[in-house]
Amino acid sequence: FAAVTDTPGLPRVLLIGDSISIGYTLGVRAKLAGKANVHRPPENCGDTARGVKSIDKWLGAGKWDVIHFNFGLHDLKFLDGAGKLVPPEKGKQVASPAQYEANLRTIVARLKQTGARLVFATTTPVPAGSEGRREEDAVRFNAVAVRVMKELGVALNDLHAFVQPQAAQLQRPANVHFTEEGSARLAEQVAGRIASLLASAKR
């Protein structure tokens, strides 16, 4: 979360996302050292409703060349009346797929105003037994997001497909979070996708 002092002349990259993105931020920064200034909001960006409210603050006044963003795990979780994570049958889902779609469209419209190249990362898998979430909802919400991004011309970084075959090695048991190795692998994937967008921008 420490503020980044930009190296003049390098492109500026913004990572927006929840704790999964927090886990890969330092790795992405290290892999793009000397190639890009990599920033992120100094907080967990949470669900799309928070994104709609906070996007102006996160963007700030600077120019962005690439914005890599994700929302999903916090939209599909189930909470009780006190805001505590609970089993799906005992709580209410934070966002319906329709609310998720509407919020994503609002967020993308604002991000497009920056003129940055945009890339949406699909939501990583929900392992069996994860508290407060259903495995199938990651797939369901990703289908919504992918349809929206394709319609709006936003590039994709399919982290769900990247993680799925190796989820047992990269994620903690019955937990949406990643091991240290898992976060490092995600950082490689994210940095590579951003680097390819930066390279295509120079052509």
Side-chain angles (χ1 to χ4, degrees):
F1 289 160
V4 172
T5 302
D6 281 343
T7 300
L10 291 184
R12 298 180 80 239
V13 172
L14 180 63
L15 302 178
I16 294 174
D18 54 28
S19 57
I20 308 305
S21 76
I22 292 169
Y24 60 65
T25 293
L26 291 180
V28 171
R29 208 170 270 161
K31 291 188 177 306
L32 294 178
K35 298 176 185 173
N37 299 301
V38 179
H39 297 253
R40 70 160 295 116
E43 62 181 310
N44 183 322
C45 299
D47 61 87
T48 51
R50 183 186 295 180
V52 170
K53 288 179 194 161
S54 304
I55 195 70
D56 286 336
K57 175 181 71 173
W58 295 339
L59 289 171
K63 177 186 182 296
W64 299 107
D65 295 282
V66 171
I67 300 173
H68 182 284
F69 68 108
N70 164 263
F71 295 93
L73 283 177
H74 285 264
D75 288 270
L76 56 81
K77 68 186 179 184
F78 287 81
L79 303 177
D80 65 12
K84 184 173 175 288
L85 204 60
V86 292
E89 64 276 10
K90 294 184 178 177
K92 182 174 185 295
Q93 199 159 36
V94 169
S96 67
Q99 289 168 322
Y100 178 64
E101 174 172 348
N103 289 340
L104 280 179
R105 288 181 181 278
T106 299
I107 290 165
V108 170
R110 177 63 186 91
L111 293 178
K112 283 194 164 193
Q113 291 173 14
T114 67
R117 289 183 168 236
L118 307 180
V119 54
F120 179 84
T122 57
T123 297
T124 47
V126 173
S130 298
E131 189 182 11
R133 294 177 175 91
R134 295 185 298 220
E135 291 175 72
E136 63 271 20
D137 281 342
V139 175
R140 203 157 60 104
F141 278 61
N142 274 335
V144 171
V146 167
R147 173 171 54 77
V148 169
M149 298 309 152
K150 284 184 175 176
E151 180 191 322
L152 299 178
V154 175
L156 291 165
N157 185 9
D158 196 348
L159 294 186
H160 189 280
F162 173 73
V163 171
Q164 190 71 61
Q166 48 191 341
Q169 290 77 45
L170 303 185
Q171 286 183 295
R172 299 175 192 171
N175 192 319
V176 296
H177 296 100
F178 287 76
T179 62
E180 199 171 317
E181 183 199 348
S183 288
R185 296 292 305 282
L186 283 174
E188 287 175 14
Q189 176 70 12
V190 171
R193 190 74 181 88
I194 291 169
S196 69
L197 284 169
L198 290 171
S200 66
K202 289 178 182 173
R203 288 187 202 128

